[in-house]
Each structure stands twice: as C-alpha cells, then as structure tokens.
Amino acid sequence: MTGCKVTSRVRQVNENQCHMCMPLGGVIALRGVEHSVALVHGSQGCSTYMRLANVEHFNEPIDIASSSLNEKQAIFGGEANLRIALDNVIRVYRPKVIGILTSCLAETMGDDVERFVETYRTDREIGEIEIISVSTPSYGGTHTEGFWATTRAVIAHYARPAERHGGINVIVPNISPADIREIKRLLDLMGLEYTLLPDYSLTLDRPFGGRYQKIAPGGTPTAAIARMSGARATIQFGLTCPDTLSPGLFLEERFGVPLINLPLPIGLDGTDLFVGTLKDLSGQPVPDSLMLERGWLCDAMADTHKINAAARPVIYGEPELVYALAKLCLENGSVPAVIAGGTRNSGLAALLQPLLKDALEEPIVLEEADFVTIEDAAVRTSANLAVGHSGGKYLTERQGIPGLRVGYPIHDRVGGQRILSVGYAGTLALLDRFTNTLLEAKYSSYRRQRKEELLNEKGVSDAKA
Amino acid sequence: MTMTDVNVDELLAPMPDKVKKNRRKHIVKKDLSAGSCQQIEANTRTVPGIITQRGCCYAGCKGVVVGPIKDMLTITHGPIGCAYYSWGTRRNKARVDDRTPPEEIYTTMCFSTDMQESDIVFGGEKKLAKMIDEVVEIFHPRAINLCATCPIGLIGDDLGAVAKAAEKRHGIPVIHYNCEGYKGVSQSAGHHIANNQIMERIIGTGTEKVDGKYVLNILGEYNIGGDAWENERLLEEIGYTIGSTLTGDSAYVNIRNMHKAHLNLVQCHRSINYIAEMMETKYGTPWLKVNFIGIDATIDTLREIARCFGDEELIARTELVIERELAAVTPEIERYQKILKGRTAFVFVGGSRSHHYQFLLRNLGMEVMVAGYEFAHRDDYEGREVIPTIKSDADSKNIPELHLEPEPGIYRPPHLHLKMSKEKYDELVASGVLNDYKGMYPDMVNGGIMIDDANHFETEELVEIFKPDLIFTGIKDKYVTHKMGLPSKQMHSYDYSGPYTCFKGAVTFAKDVAHSLSTPAWKMITAPWEQSKTEQR
C-alpha cells in the first residue's frame, strides 16, 4: 500500500466535536507547577465549565479563579476586575504562582493582559508571587495547543541563562498523572537527575489523607523550572507539537539546551527510544528489573498478537497520544482503520506516513475531525474497536463498536487520572485491556455470528429467528 | 459549636475588608425570634477571584433551558469550548413519544460553528448561515435554536438577521438567543433570555387541540434522571393530562400548544417564573408553585392541584393515589430512616431545589443546616412579596423585559381556566396558594444559614464549623468535600441515579444517601497504626 488517505474538514458544521478549548489545556499544565493557581480572564462561565470538565475527568478538586467579566467590562475593558481577582486569589489562596489564561472574551475585547500584570506588579507589593499570563483564546487552537502554549510560557517566564548542570529536562504532553509517575519511575531507575514539567502527578491525583489544603501539594518546583535553561538536554514527548509552541525548542534556541523530541513511550519501539536515550544520557546499563518488564511485554505481544491482528481500531484524540497508540497497534499487527484528531497543525498525517507505508490495509487519517466524520469513516472501514476518550461513546452506542477508554477527557468511566499506558509495564496494562475488549466482544457474539453464517451457507437463513 | 453561635465575620476573616463587607450581605441566619426574613443580597455581581460556583448567561440559556428541548436542533455560535462544555452534562433525559420519532431527537448531539481566528476578525455570520443550511439538509429539524457565546456580541454578528434570513430560506422557525456569557451576573440572565424567546416565538403558535379535562404544564422541570416521568406517571393516574414540561423531555411541537393548558405548575421557580407570569398576563393561565421532592411535599402538592380545580372526583382520586403510593414506600423509608435519622446536611443546588430537598431530607430524619443557591434572586430566598422592593441594577436592566398584553380572542380570565367562580378563585389567590411563592426562608431550621453565591472558601469554612454528615452539591465542589472526609452527593446530575421525585423517587434518594453514609470505607481512612495519633489530635 502506498500510505494513507488524509481528509481534512470540509463541512461548516462541527457535529459532536473531538476537541476542546485552549484554556482548558492551560489549566492542566498549570496544575503541574508547584503552589500555583489558574485564573481565567473572562466571564465566569469559562472557569466554571473548565472546572466541571476537569473535575469529571480527574475526580479531584479543581479551583480555577475567574475575573468574572460582565457586560460593563466587556465594553470598557477588564483591567479593574483582573486586579480585584488577583488581590482575592492572593489573599485567600496564598499561591506562589498565578497563571492567567485568557478567554475568547478577553482576547476579542483586546485586553492587554501583559501590561495589566506589569502595572499590577508595580502598584502592589506582592513580593515573591509570580504572575504568568498566557494567550489562550478558544478560537486560537484546541486544548492541546493550550497545554503546550502554557508549558512554554511557564518555562519562558523563569528562563534566565543558568549555570550548566548535569540534569536533564523532561517535558510531557497532556497525559495521565499515572503516566507521569511511571515516566518518573523510569527516570529514577536509570539514575538520572531531572526536572519534569508539568508534573501534575500528585496535584491532579491527590491521595486521601491529612488536612485538606486549598492548593494541592506537588507540582514542579519553580526553582527547578528556573534551572531548566542550564540542563544537559531536553527530552520532550512532542513530535506533534507545533514549533511555535514547543517548550523544548524554546530552550534549545534560547539557551542551547539540545532538544531530543521523542514519541510518547508507549509500545516497544516508543519505550525503547526513551529508555535508549536515558541509557545514552546516563551512561548506565539498563537495569535487569526493567529488562524483565520489557520481556513481559514481548511475551504478552507474542501471546496475543493473533487476537490483536483481528482488530481494526479507530484511534482518536490528541495527536501525540494518537500517534503513539497507532504505533503500538501496528507493532501488534492491528492495522488502524481510522486515525483521527480534532486539532490541525499537528503534522500528524505526515508523521504517520512512514509508519503506514508497509501496512496491509490503508487507514483513513482525519485531521480537524468531528465525531460524525469519525463515525462515518469507522463504519465505512468496518472498524471493530474504538480507542480514545469518552467523546467517542457514540461509536459504541450507535454503531456497536466496543470502546477502550484512554486519553483525555474521560467522563463516562472512573479513573481517567489512573489510566497507565507508558513504559513497558504501562503498555502491557493497556495492551491487555485492548485484547480483552476484543475478546469480550467476540465471546458475546461469535456463537450467534457463526450460526448465522452457517445457516446462510445452507440457504436457510429464514430459520434465523 | 451550636448553630446559633456561628460568627459570620470569623468565617470571612481571611478575606479583604471590601470583600468581607460584600459577602456578609449574602449570608443570612434564620432567626425565629426576628419574625420576618432579614434581607439577603442576591443576583448581584460576583467578587472576581473568589472562585464562585456560578456559571454564565450562555450556561443558563443553552445549558439549562433551551438545550433539553428534544426536537429542536441547537447550534452554539462561537469558538469550540462553550458547545463542548454544555454537551449533555445535565442528564436531561428525553425519549421518543407518539409525536417525536427518534430521528427528531437532537439532545445528545452537539453542534458548534467552531469559530476560528479569521471568523472573529471577519465575522461569523456567513459561516453560521452556511451551517444552518447544512444541518437543515442533513437533519430536516422542526426548528432550530441559535445560541450566542461571548465573542458574538463583541464582533457584532447579527444573530437575529441570520435567523430571519434562514427562516425565509427553509420555512422553519430559527430562534436566536443573545445569551453572550458576560451578560447579567450568572446563569440567571440566560434563563430570562431563554424564557423571553420561548414565550415570544414558541408558546401560542400551536393550533392543535389538546385533549383532556384538566391539562397541566410543568414548568421548571428538567427531567434530571427521569424526574419528570415520575411526576407525569402520578398526575396522569389521578386524571390530569400533561400538556408540556419546560423543558425536560419537552418538544417544540408540544410547547407550541402550552397556552391551551388549564394550569401551570412551577417546579423550579428561578429559571422559569418569567414564563409563568407572562402566560398569566397573556393567556390568563394561573400558576401554582409545586414541589415533588419529598413525600409530604408531594402529598401537599397533589392536594393543592386538586383543590385548584375543586372537582370532588379528582380530590377523591388524589387521596386514593396518595394512599396507595404511601403504602408502597413507607416500609422502605422507615428502613432508611434508621440509618439517616439525626444526620445533618448542606444543600447547594438549583433555583428551588435547595429549598425542595429540605422537605425530603426531613422525611428521612435529616436536617439541613446550610442551604444556598448560585444564581437565585431575593424572592427565591425571601418570597415573592419582596419583588416590588428589589432595586433593578445595571446588570438586570440589560436583560430585556417583555411587556405583554392579554391576547385578544385567546385570553380567558384565570378562574375560567380552573372552571370555578371568580369569588372562589380570588379566595384561592388570597390564601396564598396560587400565583405565589414564599421562598426558602420559612422552611429553614432555626439557626440555619442561607448563603447566596457561596464560594469554595466559604463552603470549606462552613464544613469546618458545622461538620455536616453529607453535602448535596454540584460536581465542582464534590471532591473538595470528599478530600475533607465527607461524603457528597452530586445533585446537578444525581450521580447517574434518579428519579428522586414523588414517592418512589424518595426511596431511590434515601437509598443513595444511606449508601453514602453507611459505606465502611469512610471509617477506614486512617490506617490502624495511625488510629491512636488521630484520637490525640
């Protein structure tokens, strides 16, 4: 086969969307900065809605402040409200960092938030409190871009020329807190000193216990963020991150920190690339315990590849995860039927080309897709497994395609924050769920299917009833 | 600490003085010795930055009122976020019926113009018009709603003009709502805008005959978890016909004929009282504030409805149904009372529900110590008698008021709707049954707190003070209370449960609450080897 067919959106209507708004991703990224609070500059519905969407996924308290713009401010500008909001957030929450994310409203009004913040800083004695503003209008991109833009803005805010040190930077895309913990475990196993940003592994998955704190403990310490410019190298899981938003590229171009852009460590090849890089950077051999994990994954793949080869998955969601999942599927002989993302400018289709050139079937690749387009493609290609977030529930409800939940957001199952899919162990956990979902569908229907087939052959199909 | 000892100033201590002054006015303690309710400040601007639970105008219009109308295709005009966030989050259930086939139901779908930067710069009217053409071609809906988001008002897209042109092209109603998120001070503005358009554009346009001796509409019933179906089941058994609900499981084709009903029942006062009042003016339809949450409350409500028609047979049938339902649920309720008796709770939900659930909880032996609303007005707390004294501010003036006149040829005086004499009707009104609502205050426990637009901080402080056993609230603060070791029940969507209305609903609710309070895990939070340390603390 010659590769894939790429379809971009042609319709005006977005029916059942596959992407969300830019500040939503920003809110998550900010949770990865120690002692920080996010403040959305806009009408209060924005922050309320974003809390809702995140609370339902993470099952955690999500405090997002709002400048509560009303009609008057929409006309005369939102500076006064933003200042009051900053005063109150500082007073009640006592954060060390406040991240201001702009809404469509603030951007359309043309509020100059950078200047507002500058004036605020000179007027108020707020000492050590840092205020970082990020431009995140919903019409400017999706939650994926919002996540990257915010991570980059946080780095840019702290970055000064720093003394070179032996540590490395690790920049992650929007993955689950459980995935972040697993990546940190691998880094620790390989004996590397590192700064991982944004680290919301604790803040968005708080263990129970102790007195409730308004700002969740955890997050990347700001002192560590400030040292990122002096690191030996940056590992960024951001193949689909546009250059203009790339935090790793920023550190490379400004401070000469070499950028190693890797796919998410999902699957054998993906994890090998990561572990191999860590081996090179640390000069340490890969520990036996990790080789055991690799062995278990290989063993599982050997045992299940025949079942998995029958899968024609439809993979959808954020581009970075979609790319890694497509790679994993291909490693197992499951040729994706549909690969789809809601964003544009991720370069997903071009990235997929080399992977798909030897595939036995030709997948449909969709960018800027909504779920109606995805559903249509899934039906045309006889997809039999839906891999992605809860937005794809209609693939199951309407088309009977069994679903495997992974990614963000997951609103119709519990444990979105705990889904583990990176590393050898994480891949294995995901892969078993993948295989078992296929088996469950098979066991629930194959007797009936076989019966129907056999009866048809004999020409007595009317005996079906 | 006993309830009467709560010091509001201490509660607000960490806040800046200006905020403290503002917030103090939103908190009222029930004091039986004081006679009437102290004035509460409500429906005023939220203090920026204090992390309110409030939503926006769009949320009130599209998310609450307009979204659940099952056979109308609702388009959100704006960038992608708003449409996503209001996609099926409230569990307003809708089903196929003899007038609405499955292919005419759009409530599980989400339509957005997904505006990009160029649309913001050059305007989005063309895109919207093209999108309307597309959805008409694909779905052939009976009617379309267009809901505006924040940028629309600023860039000056004329939704009304787009709607009008589209109506001409396609010959179906295209109704627009200028519900930009920044309008008003909360969801409340959106309710009002939606009420106005539904009143102007839909109600009264139907010409079909509505059969039934006693036809009722149920306003402000959103059918969360099937609530409306449980109400309907009982009412139909007694002998009523349901014209339409607003807007849970409602259909455009039924809303059109709402003016044919004899009586409007109002469940959620805040979100829908505008239509009740406007229908009273325009068609003479009287309205009755009802409450189907709680067993005694349901009994009172059913008796009051029957009383409104004064039909002996109806009254007898009502008693029969009450007796039968009560017999069926009483043993169950008694079983749960054993677990729930003496427990305390907070309730923060809805535009009447923080009031309504106090009845149900009392049936279960529980007491509500703190109750509040995100977006209520003073009359929801203090009763409608304060309406003439509410000062209109700049934010509410921006929401248009419809000034309606009795509709010639259709208007009938209210007593004729109820088939009773004018004298008897006036008597009913004077006794406070019809066209009135007394608010939450009279039913609060002495020493209890009413709090308007409670923020995250205050909720946490109140939990520390009162140490309730359970909190009934939305999902935004649900996990905060969990982290404080306190179970919470999501009342915006019922945590995937329901219905909670009437008799059977009360049992479902009692069961859910009992589960929360009796789950052993809550008692196992501290590890055995840490137990002694905790006791010392």
Side-chain angles (χ1 to χ4, degrees):
Chain A
M1 290 279 158
T2 50
C4 53
K5 209 177 342 179
V6 182
T7 318
S8 271
R9 215 170 101 202
V10 283
R11 303 194 308 163
Q12 293 297 317
V13 46
N14 186 307
E15 186 190 338
N16 299 353
Q17 65 209 57
C18 187
H19 62 292
M20 282 136 285
C21 73
M22 212 169 164
L24 182 66
V27 163
I28 299 172
L30 276 172
R31 275 290 162 128
V33 180
E34 196 179 43
H35 290 299
S36 70
V37 169
L39 194 168
V40 176
H41 184 39
S43 106
Q44 66 214 8
C46 304
S47 73
T48 296
Y49 271 146
M50 278 174 238
R51 285 167 62 200
L52 194 88
N54 276 329
V55 165
E56 285 194 342
H57 175 82
F58 292 106
N59 295 175
E60 286 289 325
I62 310 276
D63 293 11
I64 304 170
S66 169
S67 54
S68 297
L69 298 181
N70 295 130
E71 191 141 14
K72 187 179 154 201
Q73 293 84 34
I75 298 162
F76 298 109
E79 182 170 10
N81 270 43
L82 184 64
R83 290 170 67 97
I84 299 172
L86 286 169
D87 283 348
N88 289 326
V89 168
I90 290 170
R91 187 74 178 254
V92 177
Y93 280 78
R94 307 193 174 283
K96 288 191 181 143
V97 181
I98 301 173
I100 303 175
L101 303 163
T102 55
S103 65
C104 308
L105 175 60
E107 292 285 340
T108 312
M109 282 157 56
D111 267 5
D112 185 352
V113 176
E114 296 264 344
R115 188 180 59 75
F116 295 170
V117 170
E118 223 168 275
T119 328
Y120 183 82
R121 282 213 79 97
T122 49
D123 294 354
R124 293 275 199 283
E125 284 174 13
I126 54 168
E128 304 281 283
I129 300 168
E130 299 287 344
I131 303 174
I132 306 169
S133 64
V134 196
S135 168
T136 49
S138 178
Y139 53 77
T142 68
H143 61 301
T144 310
E145 280 99 336
F147 185 97
W148 288 123
T150 306
T151 306
R152 183 186 151 109
V154 168
I155 292 177
H157 181 85
Y158 286 99
R160 314 268 180 283
E163 214 173 296
R164 289 277 151 203
H165 56 84
I168 62 163
N169 303 323
V170 180
I171 295 169
V172 296
N174 184 14
I175 52 178
S176 77
D179 281 342
I180 296 181
R181 289 197 287 269
E182 179 65 4
I183 287 171
K184 286 167 74 172
R185 187 180 71 92
L186 295 178
L187 288 157
D188 290 335
L189 267 178
M190 297 300 296
L192 277 150
E193 192 212 321
Y194 61 89
T195 298
L196 185 143
L197 185 78
D199 182 3
Y200 46 85
S201 60
L202 270 178
T203 57
L204 287 177
D205 192 9
R206 272 196 235 195
F208 203 101
R211 201 185 139 79
Y212 175 70
Q213 289 168 273
K214 287 186 179 21
I215 297 182
T220 316
T222 50
I225 301 172
R227 289 178 76 234
M228 288 174 86
S229 53
R232 279 169 65 199
T234 301
I235 295 175
Q236 176 173 281
F237 304 112
L239 294 187
T240 61
C241 177
D243 285 354
T244 48
L245 302 176
S246 168
L249 196 64
F250 171 84
L251 285 168
E252 183 173 76
E253 285 174 350
R254 289 288 177 83
F255 302 99
V257 184
L259 171 64
I260 306 165
N261 224 352
L262 295 177
L264 272 171
I266 295 177
L268 272 175
D269 185 54
T271 312
D272 284 349
L273 280 169
F274 180 47
V275 173
T277 306
L278 297 185
K279 183 176 171 293
D280 293 345
L281 286 170
S282 67
Q284 303 270 347
V286 177
D288 291 346
S289 64
L290 199 50
M291 287 309 292
L292 274 176
E293 288 175 24
R294 192 180 189 282
W296 283 318
L297 176 59
C298 290
D299 194 51
M301 283 190 171
D303 295 350
T304 59
H305 75 277
K306 278 188 191 160
I307 302 159
N308 292 334
R312 294 298 321 272
V314 38
I315 304 168
Y316 57 88
E318 294 190 67
E320 200 61 41
L321 182 66
V322 164
Y323 175 74
L325 291 174
K327 253 170 85 80
L328 169 66
C329 286
L330 287 161
E331 275 175 7
N332 259 282
S334 322
V335 184
V338 182
I339 304 173
T343 51
R344 55 174 172 177
N345 306 327
S346 66
L348 180 64
L351 269 173
L352 285 167
Q353 286 280 0
L355 288 186
L356 297 173
K357 69 176 193 300
D358 297 324
L360 292 170
E361 307 278 345
E362 190 177 8
I364 296 178
V365 177
L366 302 167
E367 290 196 272
E368 273 194 278
D370 61 10
F371 272 106
V372 170
T373 320
I374 295 172
E375 190 177 317
D376 177 59
V379 171
R380 274 192 289 130
T381 52
S382 309
N384 57 8
L385 185 63
V387 183
H389 55 79
S390 57
K393 64 181 176 189
Y394 297 104
L395 295 167
T396 310
E397 284 177 15
R398 293 208 291 227
Q399 304 300 343
I401 302 170
L404 175 66
R405 292 282 180 274
V406 57
Y408 172 92
I410 293 172
H411 290 167
D412 63 347
R413 301 283 192 276
V414 296
Q417 74 276 40
R418 295 186 288 270
I419 291 178
L420 179 63
S421 35
V422 302
Y424 301 119
T427 301
L428 183 49
L430 176 72
L431 193 62
D432 277 348
R433 286 206 297 140
F434 185 99
T435 314
N436 284 333
T437 310
L438 287 170
L439 285 175
E440 204 178 315
K442 203 180 196 66
Y443 285 127
S444 65
S445 64
Y446 83 111
R447 282 175 205 282
R448 194 181 63 237
Q449 271 176 10
R450 281 299 287 156
K451 190 176 155 199
E452 282 170 13
E453 279 165 23
L454 290 171
L455 288 175
N456 275 334
E457 274 164 29
K458 289 182 188 165
V460 280
S461 60
D462 49 345
K464 256 197 292 190
Chain B
M1 184 177 282
T2 64
M3 281 197 271
T4 37
D5 290 341
V6 179
N7 185 330
V8 174
D9 288 323
E10 267 173 39
L11 170 79
L12 301 171
M15 293 183 173
D17 288 342
K18 251 178 104 172
V19 180
K20 228 183 280 178
K21 206 176 135 202
N22 173 316
R23 288 301 306 158
R24 202 178 291 132
K25 290 186 253 170
H26 293 262
I27 304 172
V28 163
K29 202 188 313 181
K30 166 86 176 234
D31 185 357
L32 272 180
S33 61
S36 67
C37 177
Q38 183 197 328
Q39 182 176 327
I40 190 166
E41 185 154 306
N43 193 36
T44 51
R45 287 179 194 172
T46 298
V47 179
I50 56 171
I51 313 209
T52 166
Q53 313 291 5
R54 277 179 171 178
C56 62
C57 182
Y58 165 85
C61 180
K62 196 271 178 178
V64 174
V65 182
V66 171
I69 306 177
K70 61 187 172 187
D71 61 346
M72 291 182 88
L73 191 149
T74 303
I75 297 172
T76 297
H77 185 40
I80 201 75
C82 311
Y84 173 77
Y85 298 122
S86 57
W87 183 7
T89 43
R90 263 172 54 94
R91 293 184 74 235
N92 314 96
K93 300 202 165 282
R95 67 182 166 196
V96 173
D97 57 38
D98 51 359
R99 290 162 67 84
T100 306
E103 64 275 14
E104 297 273 10
I105 295 181
Y106 308 104
T107 37
T108 57
M109 298 177 207
C110 174
F111 300 91
S112 165
T113 45
D114 190 8
M115 289 174 88
Q116 302 297 314
E117 191 138 16
S118 58
D119 302 318
I120 299 291
V121 177
F122 300 110
E125 290 181 10
K126 275 193 194 135
K127 189 170 190 177
L128 177 62
K130 186 122 189 295
M131 174 159 169
I132 297 171
D133 295 347
E134 275 183 21
V135 296
V136 169
E137 196 189 311
I138 301 169
F139 297 100
H140 312 291
R142 292 166 174 168
I144 292 176
N145 292 316
L146 306 179
C147 293
T149 59
C150 284
I152 303 310
L154 293 181
I155 64 174
D157 272 7
D158 186 346
L159 282 199
V162 175
K164 213 168 166 186
E167 282 190 342
K168 233 184 200 162
R169 281 200 306 282
H170 301 296
I172 55 165
V174 180
I175 302 169
H176 74 285
Y177 304 84
N178 289 319
C179 55
E180 285 85 352
Y182 55 76
K183 286 193 175 158
V185 298
S186 70
Q187 296 95 308
S188 181
H191 302 149
H192 197 164
I193 289 167
N195 273 239
N196 285 349
Q197 284 295 72
I198 290 173
M199 188 66 202
E200 280 235 295
R201 298 293 317 276
I202 312 181
I203 297 172
T205 59
T207 50
E208 291 142 295
K209 198 166 167 287
V210 179
D211 295 324
K213 195 171 174 194
Y214 302 110
V215 181
L216 308 173
N217 296 321
I218 310 181
L219 276 57
E221 170 54 69
Y222 296 100
N223 199 28
I224 312 288
D227 277 355
W229 297 332
E230 189 57 16
N231 303 342
E232 281 173 33
R233 183 181 69 83
L234 278 194
L235 291 169
E236 281 172 2
E237 270 186 59
I238 293 171
Y240 301 102
T241 305
I242 308 302
S244 177
T245 49
L246 272 186
T247 55
D249 192 30
S250 66
Y252 170 78
V253 287
N254 299 333
I255 299 174
R256 279 192 315 196
N257 296 312
M258 276 179 67
H259 60 298
K260 309 271 172 77
H262 302 111
L263 177 66
N264 281 332
L265 310 182
V266 174
Q267 174 84 348
C268 172
H269 179 256
R270 183 67 269 133
S271 63
I272 218 96
N273 74 81
Y274 315 94
I275 286 180
E277 277 179 62
M278 289 189 282
M279 284 184 72
E280 193 192 341
T281 311
K282 193 171 176 183
Y283 305 112
T285 322
W287 63 269
L288 174 71
K289 176 75 184 69
V290 296
N291 175 19
F292 291 103
I293 304 284
I295 291 172
D296 296 332
T298 305
I299 293 173
D300 288 347
T301 286
L302 292 175
R303 285 181 179 154
E304 276 185 357
I305 303 170
R307 199 176 141 205
C308 284
F309 293 105
D311 175 338
E312 287 306 324
E313 202 191 312
L314 202 64
I315 292 169
R317 180 100 191 113
T318 302
E319 292 305 323
L320 216 67
V321 168
I322 290 173
E323 198 182 323
R324 190 201 57 201
E325 294 282 321
L326 209 50
V329 301
T330 305
E332 291 274 298
I333 292 288
E334 281 170 357
R335 199 154 67 89
Y336 293 118
Q337 273 169 344
K338 288 194 188 105
I339 302 170
L340 303 175
K341 202 167 180 331
R343 308 285 195 133
T344 57
F346 290 3
V347 189
F348 301 112
V349 62
S352 282
R353 286 193 282 170
S354 288
H355 179 198
H356 292 167
Y357 274 94
Q358 302 197 20
F359 294 93
L360 177 47
L361 289 165
R362 240 163 243 163
N363 284 157
L364 303 176
M366 294 177 69
E367 199 53 81
V368 172
M369 296 153 96
V370 179
Y373 298 118
E374 290 171 20
F375 51 81
H377 297 196
R378 274 183 62 199
D379 39 317
D380 302 302
Y381 297 102
E382 301 174 57
R384 288 179 67 89
E385 61 179 28
V386 303
I387 291 179
T389 66
I390 297 177
K391 277 190 234 111
S392 173
D393 56 17
D395 296 305
S396 20
K397 276 184 196 143
N398 286 335
I399 313 301
E401 285 278 348
L402 296 185
H403 297 286
L404 300 174
E405 298 289 329
E407 179 92 349
I410 302 179
Y411 178 89
R412 283 185 309 144
H415 65 277
L416 293 185
H417 281 263
L418 300 178
K419 305 180 178 80
M420 63 170 60
S421 68
K422 175 101 176 49
E423 292 71 37
K424 219 168 157 207
Y425 173 79
D426 290 341
E427 219 173 273
L428 266 180
V429 175
S431 67
V433 174
L434 278 170
N435 313 336
D436 197 15
Y437 177 47
K438 302 263 182 268
M440 180 205 277
Y441 187 78
D443 294 309
M444 285 293 296
V445 65
N446 193 33
I449 300 258
M450 287 198 312
I451 181 165
D452 176 67
D453 186 18
N455 53 60
H456 241 323
F457 173 78
E458 289 161 357
T459 309
E460 287 161 31
E461 295 300 306
L462 285 165
V463 166
E464 291 285 330
I465 295 169
F466 284 111
K467 306 208 171 357
D469 295 298
L470 191 67
I471 292 197
F472 297 94
T473 182
I475 198 162
K476 295 186 292 287
D477 31 1
K478 178 183 169 86
Y479 297 99
V480 179
T481 66
H482 281 190
K483 291 283 191 254
M484 297 172 97
L486 189 63
S488 110
K489 181 118 192 60
Q490 221 272 66
M491 292 311 291
H492 293 177
S493 74
Y494 299 174
D495 280 329
Y496 306 99
S497 184
Y500 286 162
T501 46
C502 306
F503 300 89
K504 286 187 181 164
V507 175
T508 310
F509 179 80
K511 192 165 132 194
D512 289 353
V513 176
H515 280 164
S516 281
L517 289 175
S518 56
T519 300
W522 288 105
K523 299 193 187 78
M524 298 161 77
I525 280 158
T526 312
W529 51 91
E530 299 267 335
Q531 296 279 2
S532 52
K533 266 193 265 171
T534 323
E535 277 153 24
Q536 279 161 17
R537 244 189 284 171

